[in-house]
Every structure is written in C-alpha cells, then in structure tokens.
Amino acid sequence: MAIPNVRIPSRQLYIDGEWREPVKKNRIPIISPATEEIIGEIPAATEEDVDIAVEAARRALARDDWGSTTGAQRAKYLRAIAAKILERKSELAKLESLDCGKTLFEAAWDMDDVAASFEYYADLAEALDSKRKTPVDLHLDSFKTYVLREPLGVVGLITPWNYPLLMATWKVAPALAAGCAAILKPSELASITCLELGEICREVGLPPGALNILTGLGPEAGAPLVSHPHVDKIAFTGSGATGVKIMTAAAQLVKPVTLELGGKSPIVVFDDIDNLDLAVEWTLFGCFANAGQVCSATSRLILQESIASEFLERLLLWIKNIKISDPLEEDCKLGPIVSSGQYEKVLKFISKAKDEGATILCGGERPQHMKKGYYVQPTIITDVNTSMEIWKEEVFGPVLCVKTFKTEEEAIELANDTKYGLASAIMSKDVERCERFTKAFQTGIIWFNCSQPTFTQLPWGGRKRSGFGRDLGEWGLENYLNIKQVTQYTSVEPWAFYKSPSKV
Ligand SMILES: NC(=O)C1=CN([C@@H]2O[C@H](COP(=O)(O)OP(=O)(O)OC[C@H]3O[C@@H](n4cnc5c(N)ncnc54)[C@H](O)[C@@H]3O)[C@@H](O)[C@H]2O)C=CC1
Ligand code: BAL
Ligand code: NA
C-alpha cells in the first residue's frame, strides 16, 4: 500500500449532524507515540456537550427520518458508510497508525474490518424488518400475542484506543442497524479516525443526531453519559477499573450495561503439534500483534514440558525477525505503545516481574535503535509462578510469560487460574482433547490451533472479570433492541374473575 501524505484534520465535536465547538472550548493535544511530538488536537467535551448531544439523539428518534426508518432504509446508510471507509482506506489507516502507533499494515486490516462490519450489520438491519413483529402462538382462542423488536433508544458507546475505529464500529454499526440514536465517546488517546467517521456520516447524509461523536476525557465526557437519565444503555470496552465505575454509576439508574474488559488469556501448547513453527508463529501473533495491546492477547504461554526448551529456542529465533520500527515503515511488525503512561506501565510490569524472581528470557527494554517513541522490545518471561503479578495481571504490551505443565489436568488448571475469562487457545492435533478443553476453558472465546482471528459473524465477549454481554454477530444487534410483548384479548366472552354487577 502506498503511504499517502495526510494532514490530521482539525475537527470539532460531531453533534446533530454538524461540527460544533465544545461549550468550554477545551482541546486535548494528540501526541505521536512514534515521535513523542504533538501532531494535532481533538476537542474535549464536558457534561454540557453531553446534554446537547443527548437532546439531539432524542430528537432524531422522535423524527420520522430516523425514528420511523425501516431496517432496509438504515442498511443503505450503513452500506454508504462502508463504501466511504473503503474509499478513504489508505488515508484512514495512516491516521490510525499516526494516532495509536499500530503498524500501517494492521491499521489497513482494521479499516477492512470496519467496512465489513458496517456491511454485515446492513444485512442484519434488512433482515430485522421481517423479524420486527413476531407472532407467538399460544394455542388459545381468547388471546393473540406477538413480540416486537424495537430500537432500545439513546445509547452511549464508550470505546478504547487499541483498535480505535474498529472497536467504535463494533458498537456503532449494530446500534444504527437497530435504529438507536448513539453517542460515541472514543478514547482520548486515539480519537482521530472516530472523528472522521463523523465526517463520513455527514457526507452520506445520515440523519442529524442518529450518531453523535464526543471526544474528551473519561471522567469529563464519559461519566456524564453514563449518569445521564436519558441515555438508555451503555456499551463499554476498556479497563476493568473503568468498567467497575461505569457499572456502579449505571446501577444508580438501573441502566443496562455491557462490559468488554480485559484479559490474561492462556495459550496451551501440547507436544503432539505437527508443526512446531506454525505453533510458534501463532504464539507470537497471539501476544505481540498490535504490540500486545489486545484485550484477548494470549499472554500466558502454557507449554508442555517435553517440548519446552525446543519451543522456546524456536520462539527466540522467530522473534529476531520481528521488525521494530516507525509503524509507517514497510514491514514494521511492532510499533510503539500508545502513550507514555501505558509505556511506563508496561516497563513497570517487567521490572516487577524481575524483582519477584522471574527471568527475562528476551527483550524487557526499549530497543536500542529507537531513540524516540514508546517502544518496548518483544519480551518473554520465564521462571514464573502463579502468585506473581506478571502471571495474574493484564500488561497490555508485548510481554509473554511462560509456564510449563506435564499433564492435561495441570494445563487446564493453569489455563483457568485467572480472574479473567475472555479467550483461550489450545494447540494440539488431538481433536478430542481440543473438545475437552472447549468444555473446560472458562472463557467466551476459544481458538484451536490459532490465536486472535476475529470474525464479524461470531460473538465476542467474556466471563468472570472480563465482563458480560457480546459484541458482533447477531448478539451484537440484540444489545440495541428492546423486546416488547403485546397481548390482545380476542374473545367477546366476559373474563369472569369478578362477579359482574349486571348479574347481581
Ligand atoms: N478491553 C480492552 O480492549 C482494553 C483494555 N484496556 C486496559 O485498560 C488499561 C488502561 O487503559 P485506559 O485507556 O486508561 O482505559 P480506560 O478503561 O480508562 O478507557 C476506556 C474508555 O473509557 C473512558 N473512561 C475512562 N474513565 C471513565 C469514566 N469514569 N466514565 C466513563 N468513561 C470513562 C475513556 O475515556 C475511554 O474512552 C490498559 O492498560 C489495559 O490494561 C485498555 C484499552 C482497551
Ligand atoms: N481483537 C480486537 C479485540 C480487542 O482487543 O478489543
Ligand atoms: Na494518540
């Protein structure tokens, strides 16, 4: 892909189909994770802007041009958005890469996934028309009933920085498909492409207020959305700590939430694998793609003892081939961490692991050849025990910790030895064993002989401290629908529960 010359657009908040300056006129600098320089700025919304956006969303729902649309009509908007994303793919990919530091190659992948997701939910929006009203046969003469699937209302979508436009799309696309009016609050660490989604919505003529985009800080722009009485639901992806705050605030209003939080996912490798290199490559990809800043990263390698030394030797050879560079450089496979705060946090995890007695088998530091930017070498940590922080806590960086096992039972116990429950992977050629692990793994996502491939059609979400609810697939759409039952008495006979006065 030729790297286009792009300018970072200077945008305002996207409210009611227009660009609007934040009431308090505050802005937040955009800091390049690759150079540490300020490369632009984004508007910073506050409570006042949230109020204006919620009103705009409510008006959109009350207006025929959004509130009375069929799924087929909404599908046209979603397809038009997908087409614009693809038209601007190389530019958007570069903006994403500049903003969050992911490699240009991965950013381009994200843009394909974004477009595919809008197209997928366009199909589901169309299909919704025939399911909008579903009769339920009670086999009774005196009652006729049906169930309606309606848009849930005004929804608040709070998203992270690791896949900025993709994580926003996983929520925006189904919310619009369902007919909701949405307010998106992307992460202050990477909002550029989400603001461009606003421009795309404007260009395709999405009715004003159907999607509003408020950039800004979590406590200033996210929290008021959660506690706003006219926001009917919050869908969140991000850290466990913020998830707890959101659930607590939403509970005061009995507001439904879905939470996609972090993980510390295992990848279990058995000695019967046919192809060692294949397993090694998936292990690397499972932990180092997107510089390890993936909620489902398989960051605990659980390795059968009989192949441990051979496997680790191969891992070290493969790691040498990972090109660490400016993420826009061709063939870059590991870019910087998103921000100085996250960078410091990752390095602290590594030094704590050392302090606790673990061995840094490779990496563990800033790569010597990168003088600027928040780069961390791909890191493998061994001699880990299950009480160490590095075994228990999500690092969100390119850090793999390793433990070995002898028996299948031991492997299952280690895999499930975590408060999280997002994903698990198993590498083995024994299909029956893989089936046993499917049952035993306490996670919402299971990968056999791979790690991380993610498809729009399949449910995405976790258990335990990884949260609840599912993005993607038909489950993603259900998040934004209100189920309403309608029961009609069709008989002319009296109900006859009370004694009728006419008969006294
Ligand atoms: N599950 C996942 O995909 C992600 C997990 N994380 C984890 O979170 C850690 C910290 O990253 P952060 O960027 O600080 O995550 P965060 O959870 O604070 O941020 C996610 C979103 O929540 C918003 N937010 C923050 N405080 C809020 C509040 N009180 N009310 C409403 N919204 C609020 C943020 O502005 C952002 O849009 C990472 O080190 C990583 O472990 C981070 C990003 C994605
Ligand atoms: N693979 C994208 C899911 C996430 O990290 O949130
Ligand atoms: Na950024």
Side-chain angles (χ1 to χ4, degrees):
M1 187 172 73
I3 303 178
N5 259 331
V6 303
R7 186 180 54 81
I8 294 176
S10 176
R11 299 272 183 217
Q12 300 292 355
L13 304 173
Y14 183 67
I15 301 178
D16 211 10
E18 293 174 352
W19 296 110
R20 195 180 170 124
E21 191 176 31
V23 170
K24 291 200 168 149
K25 304 191 192 315
N26 293 340
R27 296 186 74 83
I28 300 169
I30 302 169
I31 298 167
S32 157
T35 64
E36 303 178 35
E37 283 162 9
I38 295 180
I39 54 172
E41 50 175 35
I42 53 167
T46 56
E47 197 175 350
E48 293 79 357
D49 304 298
V50 171
D51 286 341
I52 297 169
V54 172
E55 274 317 303
R58 274 160 59 91
R59 282 198 303 276
L61 286 178
R63 269 195 338 260
D64 285 349
D65 69 351
W66 186 247
S68 302
T69 47
T70 61
Q73 288 167 324
R74 296 193 295 276
K76 287 201 178 117
Y77 293 119
L78 296 177
R79 292 205 179 99
I81 294 170
K84 285 269 179 199
I85 299 276
L86 290 179
E87 212 177 284
R88 292 181 58 185
K89 174 179 158 182
S90 53
E91 177 206 352
L92 289 169
K94 185 167 177 189
L95 289 172
E96 198 77 301
S97 177
L98 287 170
D99 202 2
C100 71
K102 73 169 62 202
T103 67
L104 191 58
F105 182 81
E106 288 183 72
W109 252 2
D110 283 11
M111 295 311 134
D112 284 333
D113 284 353
V114 165
S117 200
F118 275 108
E119 274 167 15
Y120 174 78
Y121 282 106
D123 292 347
L124 261 55
E126 271 172 352
L128 195 56
D129 285 336
S130 61
K131 297 183 205 152
R132 199 189 71 82
K133 181 173 173 183
T134 318
V136 178
D137 191 352
L138 302 174
H139 306 290
L140 292 174
D141 293 335
S142 48
F143 288 99
K144 210 167 118 187
T145 64
Y146 57 92
V147 171
L148 291 177
R149 284 188 170 78
E150 296 180 336
L152 194 59
V154 176
V155 293
L157 315 175
I158 302 179
T159 55
W161 43 262
N162 55 341
Y163 293 81
L165 188 55
L166 186 58
M167 290 304 101
T169 298
W170 282 13
K171 302 188 193 302
V172 169
L176 296 181
C180 289
I183 296 156
L184 169 67
K185 209 305 276 174
S187 167
E188 60 276 23
L189 295 180
S191 290
I192 301 177
T193 52
C194 288
L195 286 169
E196 290 319 287
L197 177 62
E199 180 61 9
I200 286 171
C201 289
R202 212 182 56 79
E203 285 171 5
V204 306
L206 186 75
L211 176 65
N212 306 276
I213 303 166
L214 301 184
T215 53
L217 302 175
E220 289 181 10
L225 200 52
V226 180
S227 54
H228 198 294
H230 292 143
V231 173
D232 300 299
K233 181 195 175 124
I234 295 290
F236 172 73
T237 298
S239 67
T242 300
V244 169
K245 282 186 200 156
I246 286 177
M247 197 170 162
T248 306
Q252 308 313 308
L253 299 165
V254 197
K255 184 179 297 194
V257 292
T258 51
L259 301 176
E260 204 269 81
L261 310 175
K264 189 79 187 180
S265 298
I267 178 165
V268 179
V269 182
F270 278 91
D271 65 3
D272 65 357
I273 41 171
D274 269 331
N275 183 334
L276 192 78
D277 282 316
L278 192 63
V280 165
E281 191 179 3
W282 280 119
T283 303
L284 291 176
F285 185 74
C287 190
F288 301 144
N290 209 32
Q293 302 164 114
V294 185
C295 54
S296 54
T298 39
S299 55
R300 290 184 301 135
L301 170 60
I302 300 173
L303 197 49
Q304 195 152 30
E305 207 173 75
S306 39
I307 53 159
S309 53
E310 194 189 354
F311 196 89
L312 289 175
E313 265 168 42
R314 284 311 280 177
L315 263 182
L316 292 177
L317 288 176
W318 275 77
I319 273 191
K320 288 203 182 113
N321 281 341
I322 296 180
K323 178 176 170 180
I324 310 171
S325 70
D326 184 293
L328 297 177
E329 259 185 42
E330 203 175 344
D331 289 333
C332 173
K333 289 288 148 56
L334 194 95
I337 300 295
V338 71
S339 68
S340 67
Q342 286 295 125
Y343 172 72
E344 295 300 335
K345 211 169 130 183
V346 173
L347 292 179
K348 221 165 120 194
F349 269 113
I350 297 169
S351 72
K352 177 91 183 281
K354 258 193 274 187
D355 291 348
E356 289 187 334
T359 301
I360 311 301
L361 187 65
C362 71
E365 291 168 1
R366 155 188 284 282
Q368 290 298 311
H369 65 290
M370 303 308 294
K371 303 294 174 215
K372 278 268 170 203
Y374 310 124
Y375 294 89
V376 180
Q377 291 170 324
T379 300
I380 300 182
I381 303 185
T382 54
D383 298 317
V384 169
N385 69 49
T386 57
S387 61
M388 288 180 185
E389 181 190 65
I390 199 68
W391 175 258
K392 294 201 270 192
E393 300 300 332
E394 179 176 55
V395 174
F396 234 66
V399 180
L400 179 70
C401 69
V402 187
K403 268 198 81 59
T404 58
F405 70 91
K406 287 199 183 73
T407 66
E408 195 172 303
E409 294 69 33
E410 203 186 337
I412 290 171
E413 200 178 312
L414 285 170
N416 287 333
D417 177 37
T418 168
K419 63 187 172 194
Y420 293 111
L422 187 56
S424 310
I426 171 169
M427 316 290 288
S428 167
K429 74 168 178 202
D430 180 342
V431 177
E432 282 175 17
R433 171 187 282 147
C434 289
E435 297 289 339
R436 285 193 295 280
F437 270 73
T438 306
K439 199 163 168 226
F441 280 141
Q442 298 162 348
T443 55
I445 299 156
I446 287 159
W447 284 298
F448 284 175
N449 293 331
C450 61
S451 174
Q452 307 306 315
T454 301
F455 300 97
T456 314
Q457 298 87 339
L458 298 174
W460 182 273
R463 297 168 58 178
K464 295 157 83 178
R465 293 285 198 96
S466 293
F468 51 85
R470 295 290 179 270
D471 282 324
L472 295 184
E474 59 196 81
W475 303 268
L477 186 66
E478 296 293 331
N479 279 332
Y480 303 102
L481 293 172
N482 183 38
I483 306 295
K484 190 184 260 178
Q485 64 133 306
V486 182
T487 298
Q488 181 188 358
Y489 187 55
T490 49
S491 168
V492 291
E493 294 301 316
W495 185 230
F497 180 76
Y498 299 106
K499 201 184 277 178
S500 166
S502 59
K503 289 188 181 160
V504 175

